[in-house]
Amino acid sequence: MKDNGAAQILFALFVFCMFFTPICADAHAIKVNVQYSGFAFLGEHADIESQYNYSNQVYGLKDADGRSLVEKKLSEMVGKTEIKDINVIMGKLGQLDSGEGLAMAVALDWEDVAVEVIEKGLVKSVYNLHGQILIFDFVKMEVVACYPFGVRATDCTPEIPTEEHKLEIFKKLYLSDIAGVNFLDSLCSLLKDAKVKSNASNLTFKVEEVTLEPKAKDFIGKNFPDARKKEFKIFVAQQFSSFFAKNLKTSILPYTKGKAIGSKMAGRFANGDVFELTVPDGDYPITIAVRGFKKVKLDENDTGQSWVYGSYIRLIVKSALGDVVNSKIKNGAVKIVPVGQLTVADSSAFIESLLILFDKTTKQIETCDNDWLKKCAEGSCTGDQFEVLKQKINKY
């Protein structure tokens, strides 16, 4: 009897191994090959040098062998990154006609420095870099996946920074770090979970529209120079998309208004080659309606004042069958103003409040915390909508 029992156990283990082991092996073996095609700058060719003044200069820095320091750093960092689902092949840059398959570009779409004089002897500068991991079919020249990312770094100086100082800050954001913040590190953190899905399951999300309600228009008119007003909608779309991709670990197609003609996205590789990519429509178009901003005094004492900077949006996610999400969302960020501070940078505080709103909202799509939903959204109504959206994100 004991021998018969042992034989049955061995037979069961044999059958289990026959069916289970190949599945595990295949799950680990299947990776999509993606050819790295180079660092790129999005926008019209004639505008790139002025639009990306500092990044263009940093990319031009070479090592003793004539290789771009940015490309060298990126290659080292990608090589050390454990990417779950794709195999990034580093090598020939900008080779878009070398056969069939998928290519990946690291595409910069925004570079910015915002300088504010806080008081005499104190100037605050905020440095921004924003880009996209663009994965595209280089035969059709069509985007198949996109993972936006970005970094912000704050620098304080006694005087308005010189052009040389600004360039040094951007060098650090690319080639070393500022308080642990590095642009390429942010890229690699997102690349770890990047996926390229089959056409059958590649339902896509995309910020299609950013609208400004009257109170938001008033705020922008008062707080932004004319040169920056046009960029605000692009900024909102980019930042929301970045938090969406980072917190939900999913692709979101690039926002193209202001960067494209129709559904075409133009750009130039750092080696000088120009390209144009088709950006398909999103299966789930997203609208962000910026409703407005509000500043309210929270407290005041001998040491200073505390203010709440409120930001308000309506988030709409549609599908072919109607709205998936349609909810008002708000956020309040507290700023303490010490006694003796001569001026308060309200615009920066409101932008920080808005970015926190995007961060928390995209996290709540996954977690649906009841307290947050009641305080910052429309309660269980928003929660039910987020649950449906989460299922759609996780399904594909």
Side-chain angles (χ1 to χ4, degrees):
M1 292 295 290
K2 289 183 179 180
D3 290 343
N4 187 41
Q8 289 177 340
I9 292 171
L10 288 172
F11 178 74
L13 287 171
F14 173 74
V15 172
F16 176 80
C17 291
M18 281 185 64
F19 287 95
F20 184 74
T21 304
I23 293 174
C24 291
D26 287 344
H28 288 288
I30 297 174
K31 278 194 175 187
V32 178
N33 286 333
V34 177
Q35 173 72 50
Y36 175 64
S37 295
F39 194 92
F41 302 94
L42 293 184
E44 295 302 319
H45 178 71
D47 301 328
I48 283 173
E49 286 193 14
S50 59
Q51 192 174 348
Y52 305 110
N53 175 32
Y54 304 105
S55 294
N56 206 23
Q57 293 182 67
V58 174
Y59 190 90
L61 299 173
K62 312 282 187 183
D63 66 9
D65 298 321
R67 185 181 182 187
S68 164
L69 293 179
V70 172
E71 292 288 4
K72 183 178 180 180
K73 179 83 171 177
L74 179 59
S75 180
E76 291 172 354
M77 294 180 71
V78 171
K80 295 176 182 177
T81 303
E82 294 184 10
I83 308 171
K84 298 174 185 176
D85 296 296
I86 65 175
N87 177 37
V88 180
I89 303 168
M90 307 294 287
K92 300 177 181 179
L93 302 183
Q95 299 299 309
L96 302 180
D97 55 355
S98 57
E100 299 179 355
L102 297 173
M104 183 188 90
V106 175
L108 188 69
D109 60 20
W110 190 49
E111 169 193 280
D112 182 66
V113 187
V115 178
E116 292 182 302
V117 179
I118 304 300
E119 57 186 63
K120 186 176 181 180
L122 179 61
V123 179
K124 174 186 173 183
S125 301
V126 180
Y127 294 78
N128 292 281
L129 283 173
H130 191 275
Q132 303 174 29
I133 303 171
L134 282 177
I135 300 175
F136 57 97
D137 182 318
F138 61 55
V139 175
K140 296 179 181 179
M141 292 301 286
E142 180 177 86
V143 176
V144 298
C146 175
Y147 292 85
F149 66 99
V151 294
R152 288 164 62 84
T154 301
D155 180 51
C156 291
T157 53
E159 297 178 346
I160 292 176
T162 63
E163 289 299 297
E164 291 77 12
H165 182 84
K166 292 177 184 177
L167 181 59
E168 285 302 316
I169 295 294
F170 279 107
K171 282 182 186 177
K172 290 179 180 178
L173 286 175
Y174 278 103
L175 301 175
S176 55
D177 69 271
I178 297 176
V181 176
N182 176 274
F183 186 60
L184 302 182
D185 184 57
S186 177
L187 181 162
C188 290
S189 295
L190 199 57
L191 189 60
K192 290 189 295 186
D193 296 300
K195 293 181 175 65
V196 180
K197 300 174 183 178
S198 66
N199 290 335
S201 64
N202 195 28
L203 294 184
T204 53
F205 298 88
K206 181 182 181 183
V207 176
E208 294 278 7
E209 194 70 44
V210 176
T211 63
L212 304 176
E213 295 186 5
K215 290 182 180 179
K217 287 182 179 179
D218 290 344
F219 162 79
I220 294 167
K222 293 175 183 177
N223 291 279
F224 284 84
D226 289 340
R228 297 173 66 85
K229 289 176 185 175
K230 294 180 181 178
E231 299 174 359
F232 185 76
K233 289 185 178 182
I234 298 172
F235 171 79
V236 167
Q238 288 174 338
Q239 295 302 316
F240 179 85
S241 297
S242 293
F243 285 115
F244 190 92
K246 176 184 176 182
N247 292 334
L248 296 167
K249 293 181 171 55
T250 191
S251 170
I252 181 168
L253 291 172
Y255 178 74
T256 52
K257 286 184 174 61
K259 295 289 184 184
I261 300 173
S263 61
K264 300 289 185 181
M265 175 183 286
R268 188 198 77 189
F269 282 105
N271 68 359
D273 293 346
V274 296
F275 63 88
E276 188 176 71
L277 298 175
T278 298
V279 181
D281 294 332
D283 298 290
Y284 294 95
I286 299 170
T287 296
I288 302 166
V290 183
R291 296 159 52 214
F293 302 87
K294 188 176 181 180
K295 177 184 176 183
V296 178
K297 184 185 286 187
L298 185 64
D299 191 22
E300 183 174 7
N301 54 41
D302 294 340
T303 62
Q305 301 172 340
S306 58
W307 295 83
V308 176
Y309 287 81
S311 52
Y312 305 81
I313 70 165
R314 179 180 289 277
L315 177 64
I316 303 169
V317 183
K318 293 182 176 290
S319 73
L321 300 177
D323 289 355
V324 178
V325 174
N326 189 332
S327 179
K328 292 180 179 178
I329 302 170
K330 62 185 178 181
N331 179 65
V334 177
K335 181 180 178 67
I336 297 173
V337 183
V339 170
Q341 182 169 326
L342 301 178
T343 59
V344 179
D346 284 344
S347 59
S348 294
F350 280 123
I351 291 300
E352 290 298 330
S353 174
L354 186 64
L355 295 180
I356 293 169
L357 185 153
F358 291 159
D359 187 24
K360 289 183 176 179
T361 299
T362 49
K363 286 176 178 174
Q364 287 300 324
I365 293 171
E366 184 69 33
T367 59
C368 287
D369 176 72
N370 287 329
D371 289 340
W372 182 89
L373 291 167
K374 290 176 184 177
K375 182 180 177 182
C376 300
E378 297 184 66
S380 60
C381 179
T382 304
D384 292 342
Q385 294 174 8
F386 279 5
E387 284 290 348
V388 174
L389 179 58
K390 179 171 70 172
Q391 290 172 16
K392 294 184 181 299
I393 292 170
N394 294 337
K395 182 177 180 181
Y396 299 104

